Amino acid sequence: MSEKIVVGVDIGGTSIKVGICNIEGALLQTYEGPTEVEKGSDIVCENIAAYARLIVDQSPYEWDQVEGVGIGIAGFLDIPRGYVHKSVNLFFENVPLKDILEAKLNKKVLVNNDANVAALGEAWAGAGRGISDCVCYTLGTGVGGGVIISGKIVEGFRGMAGELGHMTIVPDLEAIQCNCGNKGCLETVSSATGIIRMANDAVERGDRTSLSFVENITAKDVIDAAKAGDEAAARIVNRAAFYLGKSMAAVAVVLNPQRFIIGGGVSKAGEFLFEQIREVFRKTAPDMAQEGVEIVPAILGNDAGVVGAAGLIIRS
Amino acid sequence: MSEKIVVGVDIGGTSIKVGICNIEGALLQTYEGPTEVEKGSDIVCENIAAYARLIVDQSPYEWDQVEGVGIGIAGFLDIPRGYVHKSVNLFFENVPLKDILEAKLNKKVLVNNDANVAALGEAWAGAGRGISDCVCYTLGTGVGGGVIISGKIVEGFRGMAGELGHMTIVPDLEAIQCNCGNKGCLETVSSATGIIRMANDAVERGDRTSLSFVENITAKDVIDAAKAGDEAAARIVNRAAFYLGKSMAAVAVVLNPQRFIIGGGVSKAGEFLFEQIREVFRKTAPDMAQEGVEIVPAILGNDAGVVGAAGLIIRS
């Protein structure tokens, strides 16, 4: 077989996931092995290289067919150089990841941050397939984002494009402090953390809510309660949706993307959440910037990372 | 001479400006002739073609050296097709501008909207020269905008990228109606029209201000009064600057551009205005999205249109 393939690597704190994609973005095979962060960055890099070779060895493909290896990693990066200034969960500091792995693998290696890479995965081979411009939100512990224009990741001057969770969106009077140091960031209301905080506040305030009887409230608890008709919970979910819709309206006048793609744990709330987001977007964005624009769920789930990492090789 | 040149055309309601640029963006020659909108779109297209040929005839260059002709026009366009659905100030409706002019000129013709084209002019050969990603604001009757990523105009799904004037930015309680039908658009406070409206409101309210003695207040009157220490005027200019800075902070987390470029009549307020915008931006944008980011005045003035139109041929 002379078909070209690309390898994607999604480095997490506990495990490294590698995958093989064809050049159309179909995920053909995956493998997952321990990261071993505690052994230091040299071993983590060894592991990445080993798993990348292993998955190809175990596949019907030859190493020669590998067009390149893409890597997604959380942290503060110099993207063009593939240099990791700092990655807290990997204990990486000043690691020239691209150079190290190009030497080990003898292939072109490209590195980008995990949120950008997940967005590229969805854009290339997920909910954005066939679309040139889309913007992705990942609603997890924080709110991550990625911007894809003409099929490629927009990185920005210092790699900070797509930091949608840190759009100042909550008016000052109601704004609370974000981990980033600013107030009123989208992440303070539309992340799982934000939803949990608002729920705990409601319980503490003594609002009448079924959540009062829940220990260690999760975002899913809040969403389930809202779906079951709990008014306090519904207000919280609505607030998360409201500011998401508002932020999408702001993005719409900057970029007029064809599609907004929402993934991450909170997005599992499904149409219940999406309908509320769409309603705010429809009311807020100018007509022309919303005509034909769709707000849809991500479809690749946890595979978005490996697929998008592989996509770096095709879409750069 | 075998050097390649590009021709830019800036179609206004009263005159058509044409210019010759070299491929580095230096504006070598300009010519301006009447648009003659009252004679209909056929004649306007004749005029464009005639002025484009004329300027080359009168220059040291040959028509053979022309790489292509770019056109900037205000209106609702299908950009890839170079088709004008509607241009109110030109009385154009359903004019296949690109096709008509390619037939007349026998050159590649590209059409884009005037705000995008002006942004490209600045990015290519003005205040954004040498910069890959920048975002431009034009503060005139309205607030126009243009987004340049990797040196190229971002058009968006329906050509609505860069509609920065319609970002909903003023909180609901203080928001007023915009021409676009929405409330709280940036344009309602940061355009010349917005500044004039706020000044008239202040006078009507009976605020103590030197503007009470001015007939037909202009934005320049308000800025001059603010500079001279008039407190009511200063509050108005500060409000215009405040929401500009806020909108730039929102753009910063979406795109992290290296430079914001501000042009248009209101920008002539100079450092007095720019300092206020920068202060809000510094306070609002996350640290990493503002590090090294500059907010600077446009430098091409009225030439941005022809230069950017010519730039379409180079930067597409």
Side-chain angles (χ1 to χ4, degrees):
Chain A
M1 280 187 294
S2 64
E3 187 195 344
K4 289 286 177 193
I5 55 168
V6 281
V7 173
V9 180
D10 182 4
I11 316 181
T14 54
S15 74
I16 292 166
K17 189 167 172 184
V18 292
I20 296 175
C21 288
N22 68 16
I23 57 169
E24 273 84 42
L27 182 60
L28 307 170
Q29 210 151 331
T30 61
Y31 173 85
E32 206 161 340
T35 311
E36 304 187 298
V37 286
E38 67 288 354
K39 296 188 180 167
S41 65
D42 286 355
I43 299 296
V44 174
C45 290
E46 288 282 358
N47 286 341
I48 296 168
Y51 304 155
R53 289 200 183 266
L54 185 73
I55 194 174
V56 177
D57 282 352
Q58 291 180 347
S59 79
Y61 304 94
E62 303 293 328
W63 189 248
D64 279 353
Q65 293 173 263
V66 177
E67 188 77 6
V69 178
I71 302 179
I73 178 171
F76 171 35
L77 315 176
D78 179 335
I79 296 171
R81 286 170 57 212
Y83 188 93
V84 184
H85 290 293
K86 195 179 178 86
S87 176
V88 176
N89 62 342
L90 299 179
F91 308 126
F92 273 28
E93 234 168 286
N94 302 319
V95 177
L97 189 58
K98 175 187 165 80
D99 291 349
I100 291 172
L101 283 161
E102 285 189 338
K104 283 189 198 294
L105 295 172
N106 206 21
K107 294 286 176 188
K108 173 182 174 182
V109 172
L110 293 173
V111 179
N112 212 307
N113 83 51
D114 55 348
N116 283 349
V117 160
L120 181 62
E122 288 291 341
W124 182 39
R129 185 187 274 277
I131 297 293
S132 156
D133 300 356
C134 60
V135 173
C136 302
Y137 286 73
T138 305
L139 312 179
T141 312
V143 172
V147 174
I148 309 294
I149 299 291
S150 301
K152 292 178 185 174
I153 294 170
V154 177
E155 288 155 10
F157 178 47
R158 291 281 161 89
M160 289 291 284
E163 288 290 339
L164 304 168
H166 299 290
M167 186 181 287
T168 306
I169 196 100
V170 183
D172 287 351
L173 282 173
E174 304 172 28
I176 72 147
Q177 187 80 28
C178 180
N179 291 329
C180 77
N182 280 356
K183 283 179 72 181
C185 293
L186 179 64
E187 180 162 305
T188 63
V189 283
S190 303
S191 63
T193 316
I195 289 171
I196 293 165
R197 178 190 54 76
M198 291 189 283
N200 287 327
D201 286 354
V203 170
E204 274 176 37
R205 257 197 324 263
D207 288 8
R208 252 191 70 179
T209 166
S210 59
L211 296 168
S212 311
F213 309 104
V214 180
E215 257 183 272
N216 297 320
I217 297 170
T218 64
K220 186 173 183 306
D221 293 332
V222 182
I223 291 161
D224 288 345
K227 284 181 179 173
D230 184 295
E231 282 181 26
R235 274 196 302 274
I236 291 166
V237 175
N238 187 255
R239 194 150 186 258
F242 179 78
Y243 289 112
L244 277 166
K246 286 268 187 192
S247 82
M248 287 174 195
V251 173
V253 296
V254 180
L255 295 173
N256 186 20
Q258 186 170 355
R259 213 168 272 176
F260 290 94
I261 299 171
I262 313 181
V266 174
S267 73
K268 292 186 183 136
E271 284 301 300
F272 178 74
L273 176 71
F274 278 75
E275 280 306 326
Q276 298 181 53
I277 297 170
R278 288 185 196 119
E279 192 189 334
V280 177
F281 180 72
R282 296 292 168 225
K283 281 186 187 158
T284 314
D287 289 348
M288 283 289 300
Q290 61 170 270
E291 201 182 292
V293 176
E294 295 166 311
I295 299 175
V296 302
I299 61 178
L300 296 181
N302 290 331
D303 289 338
V306 272
V307 172
L312 290 172
I313 302 301
I314 304 294
R315 291 280 188 88
S316 285
Chain B
M1 281 189 293
S2 64
E3 187 195 343
K4 287 288 177 192
I5 55 167
V6 278
V7 173
V9 180
D10 182 2
I11 317 182
T14 54
S15 73
I16 292 166
K17 190 167 171 184
V18 293
I20 295 175
C21 287
N22 68 15
I23 58 168
E24 273 85 41
L27 183 58
L28 307 171
Q29 210 151 330
T30 60
Y31 174 85
E32 206 162 339
T35 311
E36 304 187 297
V37 286
E38 69 286 356
K39 296 189 181 168
S41 65
D42 287 353
I43 299 296
V44 174
C45 290
E46 288 282 355
N47 286 342
I48 295 168
Y51 303 156
R53 290 202 183 264
L54 184 74
I55 194 175
V56 177
D57 280 352
Q58 291 180 346
S59 79
Y61 304 95
E62 303 293 327
W63 189 248
D64 279 352
Q65 292 174 262
V66 177
E67 190 75 4
V69 178
I71 303 179
I73 178 170
F76 171 34
L77 314 176
D78 178 335
I79 296 170
R81 286 170 58 211
Y83 188 93
V84 184
H85 289 293
K86 196 180 176 84
S87 177
V88 175
N89 61 343
L90 298 180
F91 308 125
F92 273 28
E93 232 167 289
N94 302 318
V95 177
L97 188 58
K98 175 186 165 78
D99 292 348
I100 291 172
L101 282 161
E102 285 189 339
K104 284 188 198 296
L105 294 172
N106 207 20
K107 294 285 176 188
K108 174 182 172 180
V109 172
L110 293 173
V111 179
N112 212 307
N113 82 51
D114 55 347
N116 283 348
V117 159
L120 181 62
E122 288 291 340
W124 181 39
R129 187 186 272 277
I131 298 292
S132 157
D133 299 354
C134 60
V135 173
C136 302
Y137 286 73
T138 305
L139 312 178
T141 313
V143 172
V147 174
I148 309 294
I149 299 291
S150 300
K152 292 180 185 174
I153 294 170
V154 176
E155 287 156 11
F157 177 46
R158 292 281 162 90
M160 290 292 284
E163 287 290 338
L164 304 167
H166 299 290
M167 187 181 287
T168 306
I169 197 98
V170 184
D172 287 349
L173 282 173
E174 304 171 28
I176 72 146
Q177 187 80 28
C178 179
N179 291 330
C180 77
N182 280 355
K183 284 180 70 181
C185 294
L186 178 63
E187 180 162 304
T188 64
V189 282
S190 301
S191 63
T193 316
I195 290 172
I196 293 165
R197 179 190 53 78
M198 292 188 284
N200 286 328
D201 285 355
V203 170
E204 274 177 37
R205 258 197 323 264
D207 287 8
R208 252 191 71 181
T209 167
S210 60
L211 296 168
S212 310
F213 309 103
V214 179
E215 255 183 275
N216 296 321
I217 298 171
T218 64
K220 186 172 184 306
D221 292 333
V222 181
I223 291 161
D224 288 346
K227 285 181 179 173
D230 183 295
E231 282 182 28
R235 274 196 301 275
I236 291 166
V237 175
N238 188 256
R239 193 148 188 259
F242 179 78
Y243 288 112
L244 276 167
K246 285 269 186 189
S247 83
M248 286 174 196
V251 173
V253 295
V254 180
L255 296 173
N256 187 21
Q258 185 170 356
R259 211 168 272 175
F260 289 94
I261 299 170
I262 313 181
V266 174
S267 73
K268 292 187 183 136
E271 283 302 298
F272 177 74
L273 176 71
F274 278 76
E275 279 307 327
Q276 298 182 55
I277 297 170
R278 288 185 196 117
E279 192 189 333
V280 176
F281 180 72
R282 297 291 167 225
K283 282 187 187 159
T284 314
D287 288 350
M288 283 286 301
Q290 60 171 270
E291 202 181 290
V293 175
E294 295 166 312
I295 299 174
V296 303
I299 60 179
L300 296 182
N302 291 332
D303 289 337
V306 271
V307 172
L312 290 172
I313 302 301
I314 304 293
R315 292 280 190 89
S316 285

